[in-house]
Amino acid sequence: MNVYGRVIHIRKTKDYVFLTVLSKDKEQIQIVVDKTKFENIEENDIIGVDGLKDNYNNIGNSLIANSIKRIALNNKSNFNEFNENALIVKSKITHKVRNFLNDKEFIEVDLPILSFSESSSASHSFSAKYEISDDTVYLRKNLDTMLRIVTASNIDKIYSMGHCFRNEHITSKREPEFEMLSIYANYYSQEDMIEFTKRLICSIFKEKIQFQDISYKDYALLDKGELNGNLMYVVKGYPIDKKSNAQIDVERNCMKEFKIISKSETVVHGITEITRQEEYEKLCQRQNMEVLNGENMQLYSSFKGGTAPCSSIGISLNRLIFDLCPEIKKIKDLQMFPFSRVKKYKGNINIKENANYNLLIKYFTNKEIKSIYFKEPYIFRVDIETLTNVLKMIENSGKYDFANIKLQILQHPSKLRELINTYELLSSNLKTQGEKDEKERN
């Protein structure tokens, strides 16, 4: 009989050594070894045992070893550390979410990760060239566009759980790759969706959660230090200038959207979906999106003649679990391989050898440049002439406060990237127009 497992306890007597091994399915097995056959095995070693079942032991599963060998050392310094308890908690909660939604007759759908259009311009996309058809494809930034296409067609209650990607800097609460749960329901009003979300959260966590309804204006004045324990704010009445995807509430002069906010900020974002083509055209104008492109065009076509009223929510399960499960000490314990691990790979890179470093050192300190590098490495790959022109344009213009812009760049290095992208776009258009003018003159 062969047994494999990790040694969790060792007890020695005059003639025998008794090992407690954690084997398959978390089963504890006692291994009885003759001292003459015992090697230098330590706790946490992984061993393989060949032996016979000890029929005289009535306490539990026991094995008398004929031979024993060490398969792996207990050297934890080489391990990748994962929080097994956190992963178990997340797995169970994910299972509860699916059970709750399935009981409410929601259909889970699996969506493609690659898209042929950008869903919004609020953040940058990861893109690649599909060489077979010479198309640009994008990693999805959210699950919304395709789910809305489905509900605008003939399926009323759906949800999807999956990874989304945004090409932006890393913060303590945001990573370029993250998980989302999106739920869409036709004929649900905003109040219907708020009550549904509360029931979902309470059903999953079995906790006495306190929800407090509050307006956006009042929430903006709050001391956020009050967000602790199981208190969650349901914030409504977001201003129109926030450029949300939601319908506009003309009577109240605000967006038909809400957020449920707890300790780690927004854990649920819900909106009342637009239903007509003219509304979608205005939305695309606000967010600088192309209407007739890829999935955007498909969604636009779905709005012809109008659709059923629809509400949706996006939930960050990791943040929700972290806020409501006190045993989870770090939100990154819920992620197997967080994208921020890239910092470890960059630790030995000498950014002073980069050509753009010598340019940036005129405006920022070495420490500030390192911070920019870890958040927006793209800036160090851009053409030096382009970066020079952008920085000079800001510095030499009397219309801008360069010190204030510098402070904003340090807080959000993506703003410098946005300026570079805008400059490159304008330069490209000017070059194209110049070539056309020259052809016309000839």
Side-chain angles (χ1 to χ4, degrees):
M1 182 177 180
N2 291 320
V3 170
Y4 300 94
R6 184 182 296 278
V7 178
I8 60 174
H9 181 67
I10 299 175
R11 179 171 64 88
K12 296 180 180 180
T13 64
K14 182 179 179 182
D15 298 317
Y16 295 95
V17 178
F18 296 86
L19 308 176
T20 304
V21 172
L22 195 63
S23 188
K24 63 181 181 180
D25 299 327
K26 304 289 186 182
E27 180 185 15
Q28 290 191 17
I29 302 174
Q30 177 179 269
I31 308 296
V32 183
V33 188
D34 190 299
K35 259 195 172 179
T36 59
K37 299 178 182 178
F38 181 70
E39 301 178 4
N40 292 325
I41 293 171
E42 300 177 2
E43 288 187 7
N44 287 314
D45 283 351
I46 296 174
I47 63 172
V49 180
D50 176 48
L52 299 173
K53 189 169 183 180
D54 184 3
N55 294 319
Y56 296 99
N57 188 311
N58 298 319
I59 298 175
N61 200 356
S62 181
L63 198 68
I64 300 174
N66 291 327
S67 64
I68 182 169
K69 62 179 179 179
R70 180 161 50 186
I71 296 173
L73 300 174
N74 66 353
N75 185 2
K76 290 189 176 181
S77 62
N78 297 325
F79 288 1
N80 292 305
E81 293 186 9
F82 299 105
N83 188 328
E84 184 177 8
N85 289 333
L87 298 176
I88 290 172
V89 168
K90 181 177 178 180
S91 178
K92 289 181 177 179
I93 288 176
T94 301
H95 185 69
K96 288 181 180 179
V97 169
R98 285 193 163 98
N99 283 343
F100 179 91
L101 293 172
N102 292 342
D103 288 344
K104 303 296 182 185
E105 298 184 342
F106 280 80
I107 302 170
E108 182 174 11
V109 294
D110 189 20
L111 300 175
I113 291 175
L114 291 179
S115 173
F116 287 94
S117 61
E118 292 195 82
S119 54
S120 85
S121 60
S123 57
H124 296 285
S125 297
F126 288 100
S127 62
K129 180 67 70 175
Y130 182 50
E131 296 184 359
I132 302 299
S133 60
D134 197 33
D135 287 316
T136 299
V137 293
Y138 305 90
L139 291 180
R140 65 189 183 199
K141 288 191 282 189
N142 55 50
L143 306 170
D144 300 346
T145 303
M146 293 180 188
L147 289 176
R148 186 65 184 111
I149 290 171
V150 177
T151 52
S153 302
N154 61 341
I155 297 179
D156 292 332
K157 298 166 73 174
I158 58 172
Y159 73 97
S160 187
M161 203 179 300
H163 284 247
C164 299
F165 309 86
R166 294 181 185 174
N167 196 357
E168 55 191 12
H169 62 275
I170 300 169
T171 70
S172 60
K173 297 176 181 176
R174 181 180 298 170
E175 294 215 344
E177 180 179 0
F178 57 96
E179 294 174 84
M180 281 297 296
L181 165 64
S182 289
I183 305 170
Y184 276 66
N186 285 340
Y187 312 113
Y188 276 45
S189 66
Q190 177 173 281
E191 293 306 319
D192 291 335
M193 189 55 84
I194 290 174
E195 291 306 310
F196 173 84
T197 307
K198 290 178 181 179
R199 291 198 303 272
L200 170 63
I201 294 174
C202 292
S203 171
I204 295 168
F205 294 96
K206 306 291 185 184
E207 298 281 350
K208 292 183 179 179
I209 301 169
Q210 180 185 357
F211 294 98
Q212 182 174 330
D213 290 1
I214 190 171
S215 71
Y216 172 80
K217 290 182 179 178
D218 290 340
Y219 176 74
L221 300 174
L222 276 181
D223 177 8
K224 304 306 185 292
E226 295 179 16
L227 280 169
N228 52 56
N230 292 339
L231 171 64
M232 290 187 168
Y233 287 112
V234 181
V235 185
K236 295 182 286 187
Y238 279 81
I240 295 173
D241 60 10
K242 291 294 181 181
K243 297 183 179 180
S244 165
N245 289 2
Q247 277 188 7
I248 296 175
D249 189 331
V250 178
E251 293 182 3
R252 296 180 175 82
N253 192 33
C254 64
M255 306 302 294
K256 292 184 179 180
E257 73 174 308
F258 70 92
K259 292 182 180 181
I260 295 182
I261 300 175
S262 61
K263 287 186 294 185
S264 56
E265 298 183 359
T266 303
V267 292
V268 180
H269 181 208
I271 68 172
T272 300
E273 298 285 336
I274 58 179
T275 60
R276 307 189 68 82
Q277 283 185 334
E278 55 267 29
E279 291 177 311
Y280 189 62
E281 287 176 347
K282 291 178 181 178
L283 166 66
C284 291
Q285 289 173 1
R286 289 199 305 269
Q287 298 198 356
N288 298 319
M289 288 193 299
E290 294 184 40
V291 180
L292 303 178
N293 183 37
E295 286 77 15
N296 293 344
M297 179 173 63
Q298 191 174 355
L299 180 55
Y300 176 78
S301 300
S302 301
F303 289 138
K304 186 176 182 180
T307 70
C310 178
S311 291
S312 67
I313 53 174
I315 301 178
S316 172
L317 272 182
N318 281 353
R319 289 186 185 182
L320 197 60
I321 294 169
F322 175 70
D323 286 350
L324 295 179
C325 297
E327 67 269 33
I328 308 298
K329 304 302 180 183
K330 296 186 295 184
I331 194 168
K332 288 186 178 178
D333 285 344
L334 299 167
Q335 300 170 284
M336 291 294 291
F337 298 97
F339 194 89
S340 55
R341 71 188 188 280
V342 73
K343 291 185 178 182
K344 296 180 181 178
Y345 307 147
K346 292 179 177 178
N348 296 324
I349 297 176
N350 186 1
I351 60 173
K352 293 183 180 180
E353 295 178 357
N354 184 280
N356 291 354
Y357 175 88
N358 294 326
L359 175 62
L360 290 167
I361 199 66
K362 298 177 183 177
Y363 304 94
F364 304 96
T365 66
N366 182 61
K367 185 177 180 180
E368 290 170 343
I369 294 174
K370 284 184 178 180
S371 174
I372 293 172
Y373 172 73
F374 283 122
K375 293 177 179 179
E376 277 291 348
Y378 167 82
I379 294 168
F380 292 80
R381 297 194 301 270
V382 73
D383 180 73
I384 190 168
E385 184 179 352
T386 299
L387 183 59
T388 301
N389 291 337
V390 169
L391 291 171
K392 283 185 176 179
M393 179 182 67
I394 300 170
E395 184 181 25
N396 296 334
S397 175
K399 296 181 181 180
Y400 306 109
D401 181 353
F402 185 74
N404 183 45
I405 292 176
K406 174 184 170 181
L407 180 61
Q408 291 187 49
I409 289 173
L410 289 174
Q411 293 174 341
H412 305 287
S414 59
K415 292 184 180 295
L416 179 55
R417 176 173 182 163
E418 290 170 3
L419 289 171
I420 292 169
N421 289 344
T422 302
Y423 176 84
E424 289 177 333
L425 177 63
L426 293 174
S427 298
S428 176
N429 286 341
L430 287 172
K431 182 180 179 182
T432 304
Q433 186 61 44
E435 291 173 351
K436 287 182 180 178
D437 293 344
E438 187 175 348
K439 284 182 180 180
E440 290 176 0
R441 286 195 297 269
N442 295 334

